[in-house]
Amino acid sequence: MTKGSTSSSWTVRLPMLLLTAALLVGITAVPSKEPAQAAGSGIRYAKVNVQAAGRSFAVQTVRIPKGTATAVGLADRQVGHTSSLSSIASAYGAKAAIDGAFFEAYGGPPDPYGTLISGGRLLHIGRYGTTIGFTANGTAMMDTLRMEVTGQVTPQSGRSSGWYAVWFNRTPASTSSTSIVYTPDRGKTTGFQGGIAVTVRNGTVTAKGSNTNLSIPTDGYVIVFTGTMKSSADRFVKGATVSMNKTYTDINGKPIDWFNVVTAVGAGPRLVKDGSIALNAAAEGFQDPKILTASGARSGIAIMADGSVMIATVPGATMKQWAAVMQKLGAKQAMNLDGGASSGMYVNGKVVTSPGRTLSNTLVFGGNRS
């Protein structure tokens, strides 16, 4: 029994339609002592055995109706912190939650690696893998999202100049040359010292100077330029107006319409596309053997044919096996999320897959949007 499970003896039953389909494709419902559907939530948990890739897998699943409110659940509601899965879920009043983007969990600042969007706000930029996004009406989409953030800075007298952000809300390496935007989702300050910082409030440059763990305004953001990019700060003079634009393309540079996405989590690789296994981790930028060949605990998310969402965890599978499992579960689209010690899932007040570490970010369903 996993941490947080109940001691009652009820049985979680799959809906009749799902059960019928399960029997046809080698999925068997297993009695469970974990929480079933909460009254009125429409969110349903089930533990199933899936026959795929020549063996049986015990999979924890949660089905979430289309239109359920979504958000990125952040530890302490800030980018770059960590906390337990249950505390993050509770803070957002979530009915269900699963670990989200990969993050630095081995000694450095616990910053995420993937793209994160919540409440329509860009929290972090990722440059690899696959991303799942949700519009305000709950429509889910999945693609190899690649974002670029650019803008113009226009002094009160003179010509406009362009600028761009390499990252959002991330601690740079001490020797890096980069440009990073820090928003209130980072917290009250940038979190480090170094570089040249430009403070923008309500679209206007209000200050420029050395970054001494600078305060982030609630009505704006701070851009920090480091290394050889410090000279880019020269064009930002006090009183200049600043614009910021976001563009969305896929891995091949083709424009994609993600302008209405209000929640997004980037991880990957893609597992299933249009009902067929579509796994090519190396092409998405993954190099770690833990993703390419090794077996480990996995978390994932799928878009089903009816537009609902399924989140799932499995205690041990290679990525090829995980893709086969997701396909057998009926996924129309599916992708991998952070896994290993980060693999964790929460539903209706209980942790049903207990992660082995504190988490940086999660995808939460129901409760309070952020």
Side-chain angles (χ1 to χ4, degrees):
M1 186 180 298
T2 56
K3 179 181 177 182
S5 60
T6 66
S7 59
S8 63
S9 60
W10 66 52
T11 298
V12 175
R13 299 189 186 277
L14 287 169
M16 185 59 68
L17 180 61
L18 178 58
L19 180 56
T20 302
L23 295 174
L24 291 174
V25 298
I27 303 173
T28 306
V30 178
S32 171
K33 295 183 180 180
E34 303 295 350
Q37 180 180 358
S41 72
I43 292 174
R44 187 177 295 274
Y45 165 86
K47 184 176 181 180
V48 296
N49 284 334
V50 179
Q51 297 293 328
R55 55 164 287 198
S56 179
F57 296 87
V59 187
Q60 312 253 30
T61 67
V62 177
R63 289 292 297 266
I64 300 161
K66 180 180 178 179
T68 302
T70 62
V72 173
L74 297 173
D76 303 324
R77 291 185 178 265
Q78 294 180 19
V79 179
H81 288 214
T82 62
S83 189
S84 68
L85 172 60
S86 58
S87 65
I88 296 172
S90 297
Y92 285 80
K95 299 297 184 184
I98 192 167
D99 60 286
F102 298 97
F103 69 99
E104 175 54 65
Y106 298 101
D111 293 329
Y113 292 124
T115 294
L116 297 175
I117 298 171
S118 194
R121 305 184 311 278
L122 178 59
L123 310 182
H124 190 267
I125 298 175
R127 302 190 182 280
Y128 70 99
T130 296
T131 301
I132 186 164
F134 297 86
T135 63
N137 70 2
T139 299
M141 58 190 72
M142 195 176 288
D143 214 325
T144 52
L145 174 67
R146 301 294 183 266
M147 288 190 63
E148 297 295 336
V149 176
T150 60
Q152 295 285 317
V153 54
T154 306
Q156 292 174 315
S157 60
R159 299 178 60 182
S160 296
S161 301
W163 69 279
Y164 65 93
V166 178
W167 301 111
F168 254 58
N169 294 322
R170 186 170 188 82
T171 304
S174 59
T175 58
S176 67
S177 296
T178 190
S179 56
I180 309 175
V181 172
Y182 296 89
T183 70
D185 290 298
R186 178 69 172 186
K188 293 184 178 180
T189 66
T190 59
F192 75 103
Q193 298 187 36
I196 304 299
V198 175
T199 301
V200 180
R201 301 184 62 180
N202 294 316
T204 301
V205 177
T206 59
K208 183 175 69 174
S210 297
N211 171 43
T212 55
N213 194 17
L214 203 66
S215 295
I216 302 170
T218 58
D219 56 356
Y221 49 90
V222 173
I223 315 171
V224 176
F225 298 91
T226 68
T228 59
M229 288 194 67
K230 286 181 181 179
S231 60
S232 298
D234 295 345
R235 67 199 69 180
F236 292 83
V237 296
K238 190 172 181 179
T241 58
V242 182
S243 65
M244 184 189 298
N245 304 299
K246 304 177 184 70
T247 58
Y248 305 85
T249 66
D250 65 13
I251 196 171
N252 298 312
K254 179 182 177 180
I256 55 178
D257 185 4
W258 278 53
F259 293 97
N260 293 322
V261 167
V262 297
T263 303
V265 169
R270 183 70 168 260
L271 303 173
V272 176
K273 185 174 183 179
D274 298 331
S276 299
I277 293 176
L279 175 63
N280 193 339
E284 292 187 27
F286 292 96
Q287 301 177 0
D288 193 331
K290 292 180 181 179
I291 298 294
L292 298 178
T293 57
S295 179
R298 306 295 183 190
S299 296
I301 187 165
I303 305 171
M304 311 305 281
D306 63 357
S308 65
V309 168
M310 178 184 68
I311 55 177
T313 60
V314 69
T318 65
M319 207 58 67
K320 288 183 178 179
Q321 291 169 336
W322 193 210
V325 168
M326 281 295 203
Q327 184 189 42
K328 276 290 185 72
L329 285 167
K332 184 177 181 181
Q333 319 292 343
M335 60 178 276
N336 182 62
L337 296 171
D338 192 6
S342 295
S343 182
M345 194 162 65
Y346 170 102
V347 58
N348 297 327
K350 300 293 181 181
V351 174
V352 295
T353 300
S354 184
R357 62 166 66 106
T358 56
L359 302 178
S360 161
N361 65 93
T362 64
L363 183 57
V364 300
F365 299 88
N368 305 317
R369 291 180 184 266
S370 175

